[in-house]
Amino acid sequence: MKMTCAQIICDCLVKEGVDTVFGILGGAILPLYDTLPQFPQLHHVLVRHEQCAAHAAEGYARATGRVGVCFATSGPGATNLVTGIANAYLDSSPLVAITGQVGRRFIGKDAFQEVDITGITLPITKHNYLVRDTTQMSRVVREAFYIARTGRPGPVLIDVPKDVFNEQVEYHQPGKIDIPSYKPILKGHPAQIQKAARLIAGAQKPLILAGRGVILSGASEELKSLAETAQIPVVTTLLGISSFPESHVLSYRWIGMHGMAYANMAVSNCDVLIAIGMRFDDRATAEVTGFAPHAKIIHIDIDPAEIGKNVRVDVPIVGDVKAVLQPMLKQIPQAQHVEWLKQLDQWRREHPSTEIRGASSILPQYVVRSIYEATNGDATIVTGVGQNQMWAAQHYTYDKPNTFISSGGLGTMGFGLPASVGVKMGRPDTTVWCIDGDGSFQMTLHELATIVQERLAIKIAIMNNGFLGMVRQWQELFHGKRYVATPLWGPDFVKLADAYGIPGVKVRRKEDVVPAIRQAMAYDGTFVVDFGVEPEENVYPMVPQGAALTQMLEIPRQEEVTWPQRNTP
Ligand SMILES: Cc1ncc(C[n+]2csc(CCOP(=O)(O)OP(=O)(O)O)c2C)c(N)n1
């Protein structure tokens, strides 16, 4: 059957199970949009900036476990996608971005709105295509989805010249995808699994360090079995939050620059570290030469490029987390580590890390805790970047898998609101709270319009400290308190929301925090709460850059802060 390439793309999307796409149109991609009404299964969400199309598609992907899809036109539409694609790349989120390109005969002529988007996105995509041969259209779309979701997930971009969309071509359903140069390894090597099991069985002070790979693999149950069978305590990375229930007796929450002091101490003192679906990011490891100095390290990861990249490992296992843990569990004997767990409990008592100091003003930590209590821990939390992100990670307790959605690798301010759009569309029956900073919110607040147009119900908490807070914290601690370019004016967020037809409330007294959260929850729709929080509150614990995990600043009173010495191995 003959179809235009635009029709072929839409049909392929439907066959891939896509129901929602995020984007903005323009001249080069117009033929694709013109075809959309023929495919009512595809709901198009018109965002207000293409960066947000990618973030929303990523939010959708992270909430549903499916591939997120975004569209943009050529030139500025495509370049606007770049930050969102990079975000998905660093956080291993499956995404297919389809961009319009100038017509084939204009390519390379600096035509109107021409950019080499495949060149630009080469280092931030798993793969990308410029489709010149119309007979390849269906195979390319099929392959793109296959590459995006298999192995270590990531973004794939398909650039389609305008005349290609319009060209009619015989439509063949592509057969089974077979890419000789791309064969993700799913099953772990049995000998390596056996070695790991033996190491775990002989450990006195084992520790599991779980990353986002556990969530991506859907392996939370296997992780729990491993921890419970051998009584191994579990810590996570920032993006591993919610891979293991934080209320579980074996949970010691998360590690890293702003992780729990006792979790960092656990890593620094364990004798076997079982790192699962994580990549030893520098914000997690701190100074790498001081990382887990006494441990033999088992590293399970689907991406062979991650093995030995940042940290020397003793037993690497390349494979999908679930496919590795299942056979490994059969070889793990029951065990007790009473003394080790007692030690961790003692560190937790001595370094509680998430205690909230008494204050009459509104502390952001108190706001997050109150949201936790009001939602019974049942919401999906999406964050901005900065202090708000760290407080959201520290003071909400995540017990359900995949309920913390945040920009980890790229640390993209402005991620929160558009990602919430995708998360809410992917999980319409879940309460979604976007916990944002006043700076992050101002980067993408135009998505309030998308939210209204789509009639979404998102609860938005703005931690309004009048600063680019996290950078201010660094200036305070490491740059002699010289607040260059961090004081931040913002509009009246409640009036702003009102202009979009969204109700909201400004909270300036501590006693109004809980009623405002309740009001937001009771409202059947999107609601903005502008919390005027303590302006110079800092995030603790903090491992300064260059220090090892144990060299934390834990003191909530700034005048007592002393700099740790750089750790030498
Ligand atoms: C797009 C982008 N630009 C700059 C930064 C650097 N940066 C990291 S945190 C931060 C401040 C964030 O301020 P805000 O959103 O108000 O959150 P707060 O830290 O005050 O909670 C900045 C500027 C970034 N992460 N992303």
Side-chain angles (χ1 to χ4, degrees):
M1 188 192 5
K2 276 206 158 183
M3 284 168 90
T4 66
C5 279
Q7 288 171 317
I8 290 173
I9 292 172
C10 290
D11 196 64
C12 289
L13 294 182
V14 171
K15 293 211 162 61
E16 292 294 338
V18 175
D19 53 16
T20 309
V21 297
F22 303 87
I24 302 186
L25 75 178
I29 202 168
L30 193 47
L32 182 63
Y33 275 78
D34 200 35
T35 309
L36 278 177
Q38 299 168 30
F39 294 87
Q41 305 97 317
L42 299 173
H43 174 64
H44 179 265
V45 178
L46 180 66
V47 295
R48 298 302 184 268
H49 186 294
E50 292 84 352
Q51 178 188 345
C52 299
H55 289 329
E58 183 176 352
Y60 189 83
R62 286 168 79 155
T64 60
R66 288 151 59 186
V67 178
V69 180
C70 56
F71 290 172
T73 197
S74 67
T79 54
N80 274 354
L81 283 181
V82 168
T83 301
I85 293 173
N87 197 87
Y89 186 69
L90 280 171
D91 284 352
S92 309
S93 297
L95 198 74
V96 168
I98 299 180
T99 47
Q101 180 56 280
V102 298
R104 278 172 290 188
R105 71 191 180 89
F106 297 105
I107 290 177
K109 309 262 191 225
D110 292 336
F112 178 64
Q113 295 193 329
E114 181 192 2
V115 293
D116 173 10
I117 196 63
T118 47
I120 290 171
T121 57
L122 190 69
I124 52 164
T125 48
K126 254 184 108 175
H127 195 53
N128 65 26
Y129 302 85
L130 169 60
V131 184
R132 290 168 186 267
D133 179 354
T134 52
T135 64
Q136 298 299 309
M137 196 70 249
S138 57
R139 180 192 58 84
V140 164
V141 177
R142 186 75 184 280
E143 238 178 59
F145 275 83
Y146 175 75
I147 293 171
R149 76 169 153 250
T150 54
R152 176 179 180 170
V156 178
L157 181 133
I158 309 172
D159 197 25
V160 186
K162 183 169 184 175
D163 58 323
V164 168
F165 283 126
N166 286 326
E167 196 166 295
Q168 289 228 344
V169 63
E170 198 61 40
Y171 179 29
H172 298 290
Q173 300 277 335
K176 198 169 173 289
I177 295 296
D178 181 36
I179 309 169
S181 57
Y182 176 70
K183 301 271 180 223
I185 300 164
L186 301 180
K187 281 171 103 179
H189 195 288
Q192 293 298 94
I193 292 175
Q194 194 183 42
K195 247 194 222 169
R198 284 206 189 122
L199 202 53
I200 293 167
Q204 305 298 309
K205 296 191 271 181
L207 182 70
I208 293 171
L209 171 53
R212 184 161 137 72
V214 174
I215 295 169
L216 283 165
S217 171
S220 287
E221 276 310 310
E222 286 76 6
L223 173 62
K224 213 160 137 197
S225 298
L226 175 64
E228 287 174 354
T229 305
Q231 287 295 295
I232 305 173
V234 179
V235 294
T236 73
T237 63
L238 180 79
L239 288 192
I241 289 175
S242 77
S243 62
F244 187 77
E246 291 192 313
S247 301
H248 194 288
V249 66
L250 290 168
S251 169
Y252 292 87
R253 309 220 41 210
W254 53 281
I255 68 159
M257 181 176 269
H258 294 292
M260 313 303 121
Y262 49 88
N264 287 349
M265 292 161 93
V267 171
S268 302
N269 288 280
C270 66
D271 63 356
V272 171
L273 183 70
I274 310 147
I276 309 179
M278 56 80 66
R279 61 182 178 86
F280 300 103
D281 173 77
D282 55 88
R283 284 293 193 267
T285 61
E287 171 51 43
V288 81
T289 50
F291 181 75
H294 311 295
K296 291 254 188 249
I297 300 179
I298 298 163
H299 187 196
I300 304 169
D301 201 278
I302 197 156
D303 184 356
E306 289 300 344
I307 304 294
K309 187 179 85 179
N310 294 338
V311 164
R312 160 203 59 78
V313 295
D314 300 278
V315 184
I317 307 174
V318 176
D320 172 62
V321 170
K322 200 182 186 97
V324 170
L325 288 186
Q326 279 175 345
M328 187 188 274
L329 278 168
K330 296 192 184 115
Q331 302 174 43
I332 301 288
Q334 291 200 339
Q336 299 291 331
H337 299 102
V338 178
E339 288 309 312
W340 174 226
L341 291 171
K342 260 194 203 158
Q343 173 68 81
L344 294 189
D345 290 339
Q346 187 185 336
W347 284 331
R348 182 161 51 188
R349 277 194 303 277
E350 291 168 359
H351 306 265
S353 297
T354 49
E355 249 179 16
I356 303 175
R357 68 185 170 88
S360 54
S361 59
I362 303 175
L363 294 184
Q365 300 93 321
Y366 171 72
V367 174
V368 175
R369 200 70 208 163
S370 302
I371 293 174
Y372 170 70
E373 278 160 15
T375 57
N376 283 322
D378 214 16
T380 298
I381 303 296
V382 188
T383 77
V385 163
Q387 293 180 311
N388 63 88
Q389 175 184 31
M390 295 304 141
W391 286 316
Q394 290 178 335
H395 294 278
Y396 201 95
T397 306
Y398 298 88
D399 281 331
K400 292 196 166 176
N402 199 14
T403 46
F404 174 73
I405 295 184
S406 194
S407 167
L410 198 63
T412 310
M413 285 173 71
F415 175 81
L417 194 64
S420 303
V421 169
V423 170
K424 186 63 189 176
M425 298 201 77
R427 291 186 186 163
D429 301 328
T430 304
T431 302
V432 175
W433 270 92
C434 172
I435 297 180
D436 222 344
D438 49 334
S440 294
F441 185 70
Q442 288 188 69
M443 285 212 177
T444 49
L445 59 80
H446 40 75
E447 293 310 315
L448 289 175
T450 309
I451 288 170
V452 174
Q453 193 161 345
E454 290 296 323
R455 295 194 169 86
L456 300 176
I458 298 166
K459 313 301 169 187
I460 302 164
I462 303 170
M463 301 294 186
N464 190 352
N465 54 13
F467 280 108
L468 294 167
M470 185 57 95
V471 184
R472 184 210 57 73
Q473 175 169 342
W474 283 48
Q475 289 173 327
E476 179 188 326
L477 299 179
F478 312 118
H479 293 268
K481 214 173 174 178
R482 290 181 296 280
Y483 291 170
V484 181
T486 43
L488 179 75
W489 181 88
D492 181 324
F493 292 116
V494 174
K495 279 193 184 158
L496 181 99
D498 184 49
Y500 283 92
I502 295 172
V505 61
K506 206 182 273 189
V507 178
R508 295 294 179 265
R509 294 183 316 170
K510 190 178 179 183
E511 57 269 33
D512 296 334
V513 167
V514 173
I517 293 168
R518 293 223 179 98
Q519 194 183 346
M521 303 265 294
Y523 182 71
D524 184 18
T526 290
F527 197 94
V528 170
V529 191
D530 169 0
F531 292 103
V533 296
E534 184 66 43
E536 293 184 61
E537 187 67 11
N538 284 343
V539 180
Y540 290 108
M542 177 178 193
V543 181
Q545 209 158 24
L549 270 184
T550 43
Q551 298 177 304
M552 291 162 279
L553 309 178
E554 285 187 76
I555 309 143
R557 289 173 44 221
Q558 290 127 27
E559 58 273 21
E560 290 178 23
V561 169
T562 52
W563 308 151
Q565 295 305 304
R566 192 186 157 86
N567 187 40
T568 42

